[in-house]
Amino acid sequence: MENKENAKKANGKRRTLSGIPRVIAFVIGFTLSMLVFYTAFRGVFLPIIQRSLSLCMLLSLIFLWYPATEKSPMDKPSLIDSILVALSMAILFWTLFSHDRFLLRMPFVSEMHMLDRISGLLLVGMVLEGGRRTLGWVITILAGIFIVYGFLGPYMPAMMAHSGMSINKFVDQMYLTTEGLFSSLMGLAAALLFIFVAFGTFLQGTNADKYFMDIALSIAGKKPGGPAKVAILSSAAMGTI
C-alpha cells in the first residue's frame, strides 16, 4: 500500500537530470525531434518504422525523466530505469532490424521468433508503466482490465464471453501489426501531434507566443469586445503555423 501511495505521489513529477543521464536524454530527444521534422518535410517512413521510433524513444525519455515512485532518485535514473531505457532501445533496434520480415509475414498465421514474443510483451508492459508514471494509475488499470479481459473471454458470463486469445495472438495483434501499439493513433502522434507540440514548445521558449499576443492586443485590445477579438486573433496567428 505504501509503495502504491509513493508511486501515486510521483506521477507526473519530472526529475532534474544532470551529467551523463541528461546528455543521454538530450541526444534521444534531439534525435527524435530531427527525425520527426525530417519526415514532416520529406515524407514519413513506413508505418512500423515511424511509429516504433517515436514510441521506443519516448519511452526511453519517460524512464529517464519520470521517477517510478516518490522514493526514486530525482537527480538521476535508478538502476531499474536504466534497464528499462536499455530495453526500450533494444526493442527499437530489433523492430527496425526485423521490419522486412514483419511486412512479409501473414498476421496470426506465420511463425514468430522467440524475440518477437519477448519484445512484444516487454513493450506492452513498458507502455503501461510509462502511462502510470506520466498519467497515473487510472489509464494503466483500464488498459490492464481490457488486456485481462482478452485472455479470460472463455470464462466470462455469456453476455461478455468470447473465444479468448493466446499469448502468440496477443503479441501478433499488439506488436507485429499496425493494429496494436503501432496503430493509426500512434501514427497520428508520431507524424502530426509531435510536430505541433514541438513547435508550440519552441514558440514558448523563444517568447514568440507573447509576440503574437502583443500584436493581437495592439490591433483589438481597446475595441469593444476586445478580449474575445484578441483571443481569436492570437489563436489564428498561432494556427497559421
Side-chain angles (χ1 to χ4, degrees):
M1 181 63 71
E2 183 180 353
N3 289 336
K4 188 173 181 179
E5 186 65 27
N6 288 333
K8 185 176 180 181
K9 291 180 181 178
N11 291 153
K13 290 185 178 180
R14 280 183 53 181
R15 289 187 171 106
T16 304
L17 293 177
S18 60
I20 294 178
R22 187 178 181 86
V23 173
I24 294 173
F26 174 81
V27 170
I28 295 174
F30 180 79
T31 302
L32 177 58
S33 298
M34 291 301 100
L35 286 171
V36 172
F37 286 134
Y38 172 82
T39 57
F41 291 102
R42 303 289 295 180
V44 296
F45 301 128
L46 291 172
I48 290 183
I49 292 179
Q50 178 86 18
R51 298 166 192 181
S52 63
L53 283 168
S54 295
L55 179 60
C56 292
M57 286 187 174
L58 287 173
L59 283 174
S60 298
L61 291 173
I62 288 172
F63 297 135
L64 284 169
W65 282 107
Y66 290 88
T69 70
E70 194 179 42
K71 293 183 178 180
S72 299
M74 295 300 292
D75 59 341
K76 62 181 180 179
S78 64
L79 176 61
I80 293 177
D81 293 332
S82 300
I83 292 173
L84 290 174
V85 171
L87 285 174
S88 299
M89 300 310 295
I91 291 172
L92 173 59
F93 291 136
W94 174 252
T95 305
L96 297 178
F97 175 78
S98 307
H99 178 259
D100 289 339
R101 179 170 58 83
F102 290 178
L103 284 177
L104 295 175
R105 67 186 303 277
M106 294 179 63
F108 312 113
V109 176
S110 299
E111 188 175 350
M112 67 176 65
H113 294 178
M114 179 57 69
L115 278 177
D116 295 338
R117 296 187 186 90
I118 295 173
S119 297
L121 293 173
L122 283 175
L123 192 57
V124 170
M126 288 192 293
V127 167
L128 292 175
E129 171 61 8
R132 182 193 69 79
R133 293 192 187 196
T134 54
L135 300 174
W137 279 100
V138 174
I139 190 69
T140 304
I141 292 173
L142 284 175
I145 288 173
F146 283 107
I147 290 173
V148 171
Y149 173 64
F151 287 102
L152 298 183
Y155 310 102
M156 301 296 288
M159 184 178 294
M160 302 175 62
H162 59 84
S163 59
M165 61 181 176
S166 63
I167 292 292
N168 281 358
K169 187 175 181 180
F170 177 72
V171 172
D172 227 323
Q173 180 83 24
M174 297 299 294
Y175 175 63
L176 298 176
T177 68
T178 55
E179 298 178 357
L181 295 175
F182 304 135
S183 66
S184 58
L185 287 177
M186 187 65 228
L188 180 66
L192 296 176
L193 183 60
F194 186 93
I195 297 171
F196 280 97
V197 173
F199 269 123
T201 303
F202 174 78
L203 288 173
Q204 286 184 326
T206 58
N207 288 327
D209 56 338
K210 184 177 180 297
Y211 176 73
F212 287 130
M213 180 65 73
D214 289 342
I215 292 177
L217 282 170
S218 66
I219 294 173
K222 295 181 180 180
K223 295 182 179 180
K229 293 175 181 177
V230 168
I232 292 171
L233 287 173
S234 59
S235 296
M238 290 289 289
T240 59
I241 300 170

